[in-house]
Amino acid sequence: MVTEFIKRHTSWLIFGKRFMKYGLILAILMLMIIPLYFKSYTLAKQLTLDKSKSKLLDGVESLEQQVLRAQTITSLLLQEESFMHLFFLEGVPSSEYYMDIKVVQSKLKSLALTQDMYSNVYIRFKDNPVFISNYISSDDYEDVYARYYRYGNLSAEAWQDRLFGENYTMKLFPAKEVFSSYYSRKPFDGITAVINNSYFNAIEQKSVLAIDMDREDLVGKLLYADQTDDHFVYIADKEGRILLSHNYENGDPLETAETLGEIEISGSKYILLTRSSERLGLQVVVGIPAEAFADNVNSLLELVVLYVVAGMALTMLLAFLFSMRETNSLKKLVETAARSTQQSFTLRNEFEYLDHAFTEIHMRSEQQQGRIEAMNDSIRYSIAKHMLILGAFTEREKQEAESYFGSAFERFCVVKAIYKVDGPHAGLKGVQQNIGLQLEERFNAVMRHRPLALNFHANETVFMLFFDPEENTVGRSDIKVRLSELIRSLNAKSPLAVTVSIGVSEIMSGPEQAKTAYQQAKYALGVNENEVASGVYLFELPSDSDTRPAFDNAVLLKLHDALIAGETSLVSQILDDCLGLLADYSLTEQEQLQIFFSVRQTVFSAHKVIGGDKSGSGEQTLTIPAYDQSQDMIRLADRLRRTAFDLCDIVIGNKKSNNNRLKTDILNYIGAHYGDAGLSAGSIASELLISEKYVFSFVKEQTGKSLGKYIEEIRLLNAEHLLLTTDYSNNRIWKLCGFGSENTFYRAFSKKHGVTPTVWRENQSSLTD
């Protein structure tokens, strides 16, 4: 009778049990909230301290991370050959070093982005005047220091002496009025961290990498936005020198312990929070004014009252909703468990039913996961086989390889193993398979990463060996030693006479090299196919092979892009490289024709895109020179070069004709979107389909001001208008006018008028009255 009742009213029984449980839990929680009313000040104070302490901890860790990332950048730069050239350069660099400067600057910029550096980063050398930053590079640091980058309180000589006056691994010093025209629109204060970037930093310091950390960024990392007005913070080094301070007027650090403390400064009480950085030798101190706790207390009291009043009403509703939701979920699980276990449901064993249900789900999930893994292995096998036999040339093929193999193809080689078994059971298929399995197990044992084994035929296995980038010391000679030891181990433990021949390709990079690597491994075996004993054979390029580099069709894409962009110098360079090959008399006539027609087709395609039916000068029809067997190939190439330059002239002419319209569009766009805090050269360029470089140059040419200065003036004019014609608050005005923050608005306004917006409004109102 009871069992029948439970079966019939399962949902209601589960609901009643859940409702009583949640009702009791929520009632207890409500009773626990009431004491908060009587301990509000203590709790509010603790919450404020915990919040500030967490922000301080995160800020110090962020500061440490910036320095650690900078050290990571130095380690990566030391591996660059171009950096090594500059490091050992003495005196003014010649033109042959300019490419090294460009490579290092590009690498530094890339590393600064990937390492998430929010700082201005630069490199200096002791024995040469090269200066490289993540924004600019030059072969004359004194010129850079005079025009683009400098410390307001240091001369160029003092700057040089600060960087190289002593040997150190890392040091920090206060940065005063740092001017960096590419990093910031205005000078900023902060901290500069200098890291020894030398190969022999224990002997002599010849190169340093420095990061300028903006004061605003550092304060923003250590304090919340609503704390910057009344809280103070300073950073001091282990010698007691203050490197950076905010709202702290004392010249020396406070004598405080490494724990919380309360002190009085200039008649105001502060709670101190301190955090030390052993890595950087710094102590960071934050002062929280005692008055800051009052607002938190009031907020907490209001919250407690709200909870007490509304909590009781919500208790029953939440208990009901939670019970209904859990009942619906449990009912399905209980029904599944009942079908699986064939047992009757009772209130006492409901969790046994849930356990059975989860066990069943887990078993099905494992089976499904096994099928997915088997499918992925099959796909990986298929992709690898395709790359080895047919190659990977299209972007889709390369993306598939990256999707299933990740970065494994950054450094790899292909090994092909052929094995033979002598004896009465040599012809049995199982014997051959067993040898293949033993070979695969030993490959797994001698390699750091599990190789991918592919079985193309019964008596051969192809292995793809993957290496980590840090395994750059592992060469083919090491691989040969390991594989030779593998063969000896296999023969020693096998009861049968086994002959194993292994061909090893060169170490390659990129999935598009997989086919070449496989062919090299096959070639290495083919050359030594007459050998009767086991052996490991490395691929060696035949002495009579043609080592001339093949014509790279990828350069034609660059030529096409340069033509439609009107970049004459780049077009000239590419054409010189391509058509210059025609003067190589070692090429056959067929090879010369192939190069000529490839370049001609690219110019023809660009001609169609540009619409160059008329030349820019004489309104003559612009034609693409056709191949004429009676003419010299060099002359045809010269005509094709002139046609390409005419196309560039057309593009340049079209750009000039659109300049006036672009100027008007840019200024109109700024006037319409100045209220957008994210307005920048990038957003303007994206909207008007032009480059950021054009935006900067157009605004400078039209207004005589930089883009940032012009936008700031537009925003200030509109802010002045709102101050005079409305009663809007300053907070609303800076948001409407597009200033990024209230501090930015106040600084810009005070710089222009010498007073705050509130004082300016009052002065203007009194003049009007």
Side-chain angles (χ1 to χ4, degrees), residues 306-571:
L306 177 63
Y307 281 173
V308 172
V309 172
M312 297 306 297
L314 291 174
T315 298
M316 299 304 295
L317 177 61
L318 292 175
F320 179 81
L321 293 177
F322 289 163
S323 299
M324 285 295 297
R325 186 176 65 176
E326 190 169 340
T327 298
N328 291 333
S329 300
L330 285 175
K331 181 181 178 183
K332 295 178 182 179
L333 292 175
V334 167
E335 290 175 352
T336 301
R339 289 193 297 269
S340 302
T341 60
Q342 301 298 321
Q343 295 180 5
S344 300
F345 171 72
T346 63
L347 285 176
R348 288 182 300 177
N349 67 352
E350 61 186 271
F351 291 104
E352 293 182 8
Y353 276 89
L354 296 181
D355 183 61
H356 283 294
F358 284 125
T359 302
E360 184 70 21
I361 293 172
H362 181 68
M363 291 175 59
R364 293 177 182 177
S365 176
E366 286 186 341
Q367 294 173 357
Q368 183 69 14
Q369 184 66 27
R371 288 193 290 269
I372 293 175
E373 290 179 358
M375 184 181 298
N376 284 335
D377 290 342
S378 177
I379 294 174
R380 283 164 53 89
Y381 186 94
S382 177
I383 292 175
K385 189 172 183 180
H386 178 90
M387 287 192 297
L388 293 180
I389 298 177
L390 301 178
F393 300 102
T394 67
E395 287 300 322
R396 181 177 179 181
E397 291 170 333
K398 296 176 183 178
Q399 289 174 359
E400 285 181 348
E402 183 177 354
S403 174
Y404 282 93
F405 291 95
S407 59
F409 280 98
E410 289 185 4
R411 197 165 184 266
F412 75 98
C413 73
V414 174
V415 172
K416 183 174 181 180
I418 298 178
Y419 34 89
K420 301 177 183 178
V421 181
D422 296 329
H425 303 290
L428 297 179
K429 184 177 181 180
V431 174
Q432 300 258 5
Q433 291 178 342
N434 185 50
I435 296 298
L437 292 175
Q438 292 183 35
L439 193 62
E440 184 175 346
E441 289 178 359
R442 282 168 170 75
F443 261 88
N444 295 336
V446 300
M447 300 305 299
R448 180 174 178 181
H449 291 282
R450 182 183 181 89
L452 179 63
L454 305 173
N455 295 308
F456 289 174
H457 301 288
N459 66 332
E460 69 176 47
T461 303
V462 177
F463 296 93
M464 302 188 74
L465 309 184
F466 303 111
F467 310 98
D468 283 337
E470 57 265 23
E471 289 185 277
N472 51 13
T473 57
V474 177
R476 293 200 301 162
S477 58
D478 298 321
I479 297 174
K480 183 175 181 179
V481 171
R482 296 183 189 180
L483 297 185
S484 299
E485 181 61 31
L486 181 151
I487 294 175
R488 286 193 292 271
S489 173
L490 182 65
N491 287 326
K493 296 183 179 180
S494 176
L496 302 174
V498 180
T499 302
V500 181
S501 299
I502 299 179
V504 182
S505 73
E506 293 180 332
I507 297 178
M508 301 286 191
S509 177
E512 66 275 5
Q513 298 293 326
K515 180 179 179 180
T516 302
Y518 177 57
Q519 292 173 340
Q520 290 181 357
K522 289 174 57 179
Y523 180 84
L525 282 177
V527 171
N528 299 277
E529 62 182 353
N530 295 326
E531 298 290 339
V532 295
S534 298
V536 179
Y537 310 106
L538 303 181
F539 170 78
E540 300 294 342
L541 188 67
S543 58
D544 58 347
S545 62
D546 187 2
T547 59
R548 292 180 303 172
F551 181 70
D552 187 2
N553 289 317
V555 77
L556 299 177
L557 298 176
K558 296 182 180 179
L559 175 60
H560 183 271
D561 292 342
L563 284 170
I564 62 177
E567 298 180 359
T568 307
S569 60
L570 183 57
V571 169

Side-chain angles (χ1 to χ4, degrees), residues 221-281:
K221 298 292 183 182
L222 299 170
L223 296 178
Y224 291 99
D226 58 351
Q227 297 176 339
T228 55
D229 292 334
D230 54 0
H231 289 51
F232 75 78
V233 62
Y234 69 78
I235 301 175
D237 59 15
K238 57 186 178 182
E239 283 78 20
R241 296 174 298 183
I242 292 183
L243 302 180
L244 178 143
S245 65
H246 172 75
N247 293 339
Y248 182 75
E249 303 300 333
N250 293 351
D252 298 319
L254 297 170
E255 295 295 332
T256 59
E258 295 296 329
T259 58
L260 300 181
E262 182 173 335
I263 64 170
E264 184 173 333
I265 302 177
S266 301
S268 300
K269 291 186 177 181
Y270 291 89
I271 302 296
L272 297 183
L273 296 178
T274 64
R275 179 72 183 181
S276 297
S277 172
E278 297 296 334
R279 291 177 177 175
L280 305 181

Side-chain angles (χ1 to χ4, degrees), residues 196-228:
N196 191 341
N197 198 33
S198 304
Y199 288 101
F200 315 108
N201 53 26
I203 303 173
E204 183 181 3
Q205 184 164 299
K206 298 183 65 176
S207 174
V208 295
L209 180 142
I211 55 174
D212 296 323
M213 292 171 282
D214 196 336
R215 177 181 178 276
E216 290 186 6
D217 291 334
L218 292 174
V219 172
K221 298 292 183 182
L222 299 170
L223 296 178
Y224 291 99
D226 58 351
Q227 297 176 339
T228 55

Side-chain angles (χ1 to χ4, degrees), residues 607-678:
H607 173 270
K608 289 293 185 182
V609 174
I610 297 170
D613 296 330
K614 302 286 185 179
S615 69
S617 55
E619 296 296 326
Q620 300 291 329
T621 301
L622 187 61
T623 59
I624 308 298
Y627 173 68
D628 187 348
Q629 193 173 13
S630 63
Q631 294 193 29
D632 181 68
M633 183 66 70
I634 304 300
R635 292 184 179 180
L636 286 174
D638 187 59
R639 289 179 54 194
L640 186 61
R641 181 184 285 103
R642 290 198 299 270
T643 302
F645 292 156
D646 289 340
L647 287 175
C648 290
D649 291 339
I650 293 174
V651 173
I652 294 172
N654 291 337
K655 288 181 178 179
K656 290 181 178 179
S657 65
N658 291 330
N659 278 356
N660 292 331
R661 178 184 58 79
L662 286 173
K663 292 176 182 178
T664 303
D665 290 345
I666 290 172
L667 298 180
N668 289 341
Y669 185 86
I670 294 174
H673 296 83
Y674 68 89
D676 180 6

